[in-house]
Each structure stands twice: as C-alpha cells, then as structure tokens.
Amino acid sequence: MDLIQLTPRMDVDPSLHLRSPGEVLLLDYMLPAAINPSQLARRTGIRALHLREILTEARPMTPRHALRLALVLDTSPLYWLVLQARYDLAREAQRDTTLSRQM
C-alpha cells in the first residue's frame, strides 16, 4: 500500500476548486450511480438523515462515516477525511480573512 508522505509544509494546490465532502459524494458517486440518500443509507448503515446533513454541509464527515462510505464506494476512508479537513481549513481561512478585514 502506498502511503502519503506527510511533511510539515504539505498543502493542497489552491487553484483546485474547493468542494465539500457532501458535494463530492453527491456529484461524483451518488448521481452517476443514481443512488438517493435512503438507498446509500441502507448500503452503508449511515442514517439517511446524517447523509442528507453531510450533503447539505450541516454535518461534517466523521471517521465512522468515512469508513462506511469507503467500504461501499471503493474508496479509502482517508480520502473522505482529507476532503473534510481541506474544506474545514479553507472555510476557517476565509473566516480569518473576513475577520481581519473588519478590524
């Protein structure tokens, strides 16, 4: 198994379009497979309400969700958690920028 080399200066290309894990889940996995949240809930064991909240960015991706999605969608759990971390970091950076402009 290839592992990602973690370095103290690791970053993601800022030119890449920022997408939430919910957006990736919906556009890259659910829509192409014609799966709705209820169907995915049955396959993964994740509550349909939780899936809907992930899709609408009302709930973050958790390690448990990542593990269950990885099993069903043939991805790695790390994929989902990195998407969430990148999304969270970008949102915080936007908040910090907005806050410093207001001061």
Side-chain angles (χ1 to χ4, degrees), residues 58-96:
R59 176 182 294 268
M61 182 68 61
T62 66
R64 175 172 281 187
H65 295 143
L67 285 165
R68 291 173 183 237
L69 288 171
L71 286 171
V72 171
L73 300 176
D74 194 31
T75 64
S76 76
L78 183 61
Y79 172 70
W80 298 106
L81 295 178
V82 168
L83 285 172
Q84 184 66 56
R86 178 177 183 245
Y87 186 73
D88 291 345
L89 287 167
R91 285 183 44 197
E92 280 303 313
Q94 289 171 346
R95 284 186 192 134
D96 285 351

Side-chain angles (χ1 to χ4, degrees), residues 1-37:
M1 173 164 80
D2 293 336
L3 297 176
I4 296 172
Q5 291 290 76
L6 298 177
T7 65
R9 305 294 287 158
M10 179 184 259
D11 206 354
V12 176
D13 182 353
S15 69
L16 295 174
H17 174 67
L18 179 66
R19 298 193 308 161
S20 71
E23 183 180 351
V24 172
L25 179 60
L26 179 65
L27 298 179
D28 295 357
Y29 294 91
M30 294 176 67
L31 290 178
I35 300 171
N36 65 41

Side-chain angles (χ1 to χ4, degrees), residues 20-64:
S20 71
E23 183 180 351
V24 172
L25 179 60
L26 179 65
L27 298 179
D28 295 357
Y29 294 91
M30 294 176 67
L31 290 178
I35 300 171
N36 65 41
S38 297
Q39 292 167 324
L40 188 58
R42 283 191 295 277
R43 292 179 187 179
T44 61
I46 300 171
R47 293 179 55 202
L49 173 64
H50 291 185
L51 284 171
R52 286 186 194 95
E53 290 172 342
I54 290 169
L55 294 172
T56 61
E57 301 169 24
R59 176 182 294 268
M61 182 68 61
T62 66
R64 175 172 281 187

Side-chain angles (χ1 to χ4, degrees), residues 89-103:
L89 287 167
R91 285 183 44 197
E92 280 303 313
Q94 289 171 346
R95 284 186 192 134
D96 285 351
T97 302
T98 303
L99 185 62
S100 46
R101 285 183 189 161
Q102 294 174 353
M103 296 181 148

